[in-house]
Amino acid sequence: MNITIHGGAREIGGSCIGVQTDDCKVALDYGTKFEESSSNQFPEDFDAVIISHAHLDHSGQLLSLSKKKPIIVGSKITREVTIALLHDMVKVQSQNYANYPYYGYDADAIKEHWWVRDYVALPGMTIKLHPAGHVAGARMTSIHSEDKEVLYTGDFCVHDSEILEGCKTQKLPNEPDVLITESTYGGKVRSPRNELVDEFFRQILAAMERKGNVLIPTFAFHRSQEMAKRIDDAIKNGVLPRYNVYTISNLANKITDYFNENKECFTKKIQRQKQPFNYSHVKHLYRTGQIKEPAVVICTSGFGHAGASLRLLADWAEDENNSVLLTSGYLPPDSPLKFAKEERRFRNNGDEISVNAEIEQIELSGHADQLELVQMVEKLKPKRTILVHGDIEQAQALSEKIEEMTEVWIPEKGETIAI
Ligand SMILES: [Zn+2]
């Protein structure tokens, strides 16, 4: 068996791992890079492509397979959300690039050969999917072939969040020959989640007391709904006072409808509610012009590259009463939010904007931190562990913690490991 890291080696973005035996060849994820300028060329001769979850850095390259039509495997919500995100990507990219080669029907073609399964048998190979936490519908993948067991984590999260249960590591295959794991937070131990949530509310409350605006840039899928639910419940429970709270993202709004229709993906508490994602104190708007200030606004894009989050960052950054709350730990190098936070200024449409607003990063992340990653290795006892989906510093920090328990590889892009 050969394992080739086609993308997501020593970096976050463009995840794709090939597993090849004498009888078949599968891909684990097929993602795009975050930077728009770079694109991936992956092999296209896979018999099956397993998609761990609907984030585009794991699924966004699927359009290039619309004519090859390999079997695509993933959960139902991963399929629905991936197709919605691919349609959105086609819309945005064809506005930006005259020669963009894909159309909406390419996204629909992907849907036609997508199998919603937790178990698939291919020649000489069985594939099982296991809940991974992280986002709704996320799965880990275990592959059994040639007497070898390979477990790929995709992105995963061990602890529960307000709306989603964490991954149950005790239900994963023990002592796999190879564990391929993300290492986003390989070098980082986070504060307990309840402390982070308290800090998050404290920051919002402080801005509310200043009558300021709060910008919360988030991803349309999952984080937006989790955030809206968190704030809605906090207002219901008196943790936060009533205030104008909005979401602005038509894509997020569409995904919220999927969430209401697929409650079985979420915690028991969510399942008991009739329409859990119809909020009482959070209103969906179509445009930033509809905002009544002061307000808390949850909007896309998550990294502030475009959309309402860039517009509001530009409008609100100069006022010291306003706040920007970042809840993702990772920010791409070209992200306006990264410049705003680190340089206290950023460029927008050729203007330089200085930042007086508070910018706080509270990592309410859906990824395992170093402690959880090490615990998983202790529990599963893999013979070899391949670290992907993490900057080299994070992967090396994790490697130091686990190298006495397992043989560790931090492969480069394109590297093949024979098992
Ligand atoms: Zn993800």
Side-chain angles (χ1 to χ4, degrees):
M1 180 188 287
N2 281 333
I3 296 177
T4 304
I5 314 301
H6 297 293
R10 304 184 179 193
E11 65 174 350
I12 294 175
S15 286
C16 180
I17 297 153
V19 178
Q20 186 166 13
T21 66
D22 289 342
D23 300 315
C24 78
K25 186 174 175 183
V26 301
L28 299 165
D29 284 333
Y30 215 73
T32 40
K33 304 254 275 188
F34 286 115
E35 297 81 16
E36 288 182 12
S37 50
S38 52
S39 76
N40 271 311
Q41 284 298 322
F42 298 141
E44 295 181 352
D45 57 342
F46 293 107
D47 302 300
V49 178
I50 324 298
I51 298 296
S52 63
H53 65 290
H55 282 150
L56 289 175
D57 59 320
H58 296 259
S59 62
Q61 202 66 26
L62 282 175
L63 290 171
S64 66
L65 296 176
S66 63
K67 294 187 179 60
K68 287 270 177 185
K69 298 195 192 324
I71 298 161
I72 295 170
V73 182
S75 68
K76 183 179 169 212
I77 199 122
T78 300
R79 179 185 69 181
E80 298 306 314
V81 176
T82 297
I83 303 304
L85 295 181
L86 290 176
H87 272 285
D88 187 65
M89 185 164 80
V90 168
K91 200 171 89 189
V92 172
Q93 299 292 64
S94 47
Q95 279 164 3
N96 293 344
Y97 305 101
N99 296 325
Y100 188 66
Y102 303 113
Y103 299 90
Y105 57 71
D106 291 305
D108 293 329
I110 297 297
K111 184 168 181 171
E112 280 166 28
H113 45 108
W114 188 304
W115 293 8
V116 174
R117 300 278 192 285
D118 280 336
Y119 180 87
V120 177
L122 296 172
M125 182 182 282
T126 53
I127 297 171
K128 269 189 205 163
L129 275 59
H130 316 261
H134 184 58
V135 289
R139 297 286 184 268
M140 292 193 182
T141 306
S142 60
I143 294 180
H144 191 89
S145 183
E146 298 177 344
D147 253 349
K148 305 262 185 345
E149 185 85 30
V150 177
L151 177 66
Y152 169 57
T153 64
D155 292 355
F156 77 103
C157 180
V158 179
H159 57 263
D160 296 347
S161 75
E162 290 88 344
I163 62 171
L164 191 67
E165 283 186 9
C167 161
K168 305 272 179 275
T169 47
Q170 66 273 23
K171 292 190 176 169
L172 298 171
N174 268 315
E175 299 182 34
D177 297 274
V178 185
L179 170 70
I180 307 169
T181 179
E182 67 143 317
S183 53
T184 315
Y185 291 105
K188 211 166 191 176
V189 179
R190 278 192 311 263
S191 308
R193 192 174 174 90
N194 55 345
E195 286 177 20
L196 294 172
V197 171
D198 287 348
E199 176 60 19
F200 174 78
F201 289 141
R202 251 197 308 278
Q203 291 292 337
I204 294 187
L205 206 54
M208 286 174 165
E209 281 164 2
R210 298 193 298 266
K211 301 269 182 289
N213 295 305
V214 182
L215 168 63
I216 308 176
T218 46
F219 295 117
F221 168 46
H222 195 96
R223 298 286 161 245
S224 173
Q225 292 78 13
E226 183 185 82
M227 188 66 70
K229 189 77 184 160
R230 177 182 300 133
I231 293 175
D232 195 49
D233 284 350
I235 295 177
K236 262 186 215 161
N237 301 333
V239 174
L240 292 176
R242 285 177 176 245
Y243 212 72
N244 298 321
V245 185
Y246 306 112
T247 58
I248 307 178
S249 164
N250 291 340
L251 184 59
N253 201 31
K254 189 174 174 185
I255 293 170
T256 302
D257 290 341
Y258 291 138
F259 279 23
N260 275 324
E261 288 158 18
N262 293 277
K263 287 192 290 183
E264 69 282 0
C265 298
F266 300 95
T267 57
K268 300 263 176 335
K269 192 176 162 197
I270 292 283
Q271 289 179 36
R272 282 194 296 271
Q273 299 168 24
K274 202 162 174 233
Q275 295 278 303
F277 299 96
N278 286 0
Y279 318 113
S280 310
H281 302 281
V282 181
K283 205 171 154 193
H284 177 254
L285 302 181
Y286 293 90
R287 297 182 303 279
T288 52
Q290 297 173 301
I291 296 173
K292 267 200 215 147
E293 296 187 21
V296 175
V297 180
I298 303 160
C299 60
T300 53
S301 70
F303 295 138
H305 284 107
S309 63
L310 180 58
R311 217 165 307 135
L312 293 177
L313 180 67
D315 287 352
W316 291 353
E318 284 178 339
D319 186 340
E320 62 194 24
N321 290 320
N322 296 334
S323 276
V324 181
L325 289 182
L326 310 175
T327 53
S328 154
Y330 174 78
L331 290 172
D334 62 345
S335 151
L337 290 170
K338 194 176 173 78
F339 285 106
K341 178 173 174 275
E342 289 173 6
E343 315 280 330
R344 304 296 295 172
R345 59 192 156 81
F346 65 98
R347 293 196 78 79
N348 180 41
N349 288 334
D351 298 331
E352 182 156 296
I353 297 177
S354 56
V355 177
N356 301 314
E358 300 225 354
I359 301 194
E360 290 291 331
Q361 194 163 22
I362 301 168
E363 294 179 28
L364 287 165
S365 166
H367 293 273
D369 73 350
Q370 188 189 56
L371 217 59
E372 292 168 326
L373 287 159
V374 171
Q375 280 166 355
M376 184 180 61
V377 172
E378 277 169 354
K379 166 95 195 47
L380 298 181
K381 300 183 175 55
K383 289 192 187 77
R384 307 171 189 79
T385 301
I386 300 175
L387 304 183
V388 294
H389 196 285
D391 293 338
I392 184 75
E393 298 79 22
Q394 299 291 321
Q396 276 168 344
L398 177 60
S399 172
E400 283 169 25
K401 293 277 175 188
I402 60 173
E403 64 195 3
E404 285 178 7
M405 296 185 268
T406 177
E407 187 184 331
V408 184
W409 299 68
I410 308 174
E412 289 180 52
K413 187 175 171 171
E415 201 171 323
T416 295
I417 298 166
I419 305 298

